[in-house]
Amino acid sequence: MAKNEKELEEISTTDKLKAFKTLKDSGLRVEFNGSGVPTVICAGADEIDKTLKNVKKLLKEIRYTGSFGVRAPRKTDMIGTEESLEAAEEVAEELTEKNEEMETLTA
């Protein structure tokens, strides 16, 4: 067990940053959680298995043996979907129209 603990201690911040950069460069959405573990945010919960396989493959190529994570998006992640972007555009148009009406009334 001591050997295993020593190997974990040898994983440096540089290795984690290298893993983070590799994942980010491959087009994945990546974050560091509170403990400094690179965590990939996949598009949905149904894609976790597929994303996990890809992440393992990428990290194996760079010989990264440290911890990493894969998770689905949270409600607070603010990932824009087509529906939410369309809704935001509609709200922006309504606000623009109301502003124009207000300007004509005050003028």
Side-chain angles (χ1 to χ4, degrees), residues 14-77:
T14 307
D15 293 336
K16 290 179 182 180
L17 290 172
K18 184 178 177 184
F20 178 84
K21 185 174 181 342
T22 300
L23 294 170
K24 191 113 175 136
D25 289 346
S26 68
L28 297 169
R29 185 167 177 212
V30 188
E31 69 176 10
F32 270 117
N33 66 12
S35 62
V37 175
T39 304
V40 176
I41 305 169
C42 55
D46 54 337
E47 296 185 19
I48 290 177
D49 290 335
K50 179 181 157 188
T51 305
L52 182 62
K53 289 178 185 178
N54 291 336
V55 170
K56 283 182 179 180
K57 182 181 174 185
L58 289 168
L59 294 179
K60 187 175 183 180
E61 289 175 2
I62 63 168
R63 297 181 184 161
Y64 178 75
T65 58
S67 299
F68 67 93
V70 177
R71 70 170 176 84
R74 297 180 186 126
K75 289 181 182 179
T76 58
D77 280 343

Side-chain angles (χ1 to χ4, degrees), residues 90-106:
E90 289 176 14
V91 169
E93 288 176 18
E94 289 177 16
L95 289 174
T96 304
E97 290 173 6
K98 287 184 180 181
N99 282 341
E100 289 173 357
E101 288 177 18
M102 294 288 285
E103 288 176 2
T104 57
L105 289 175
T106 57

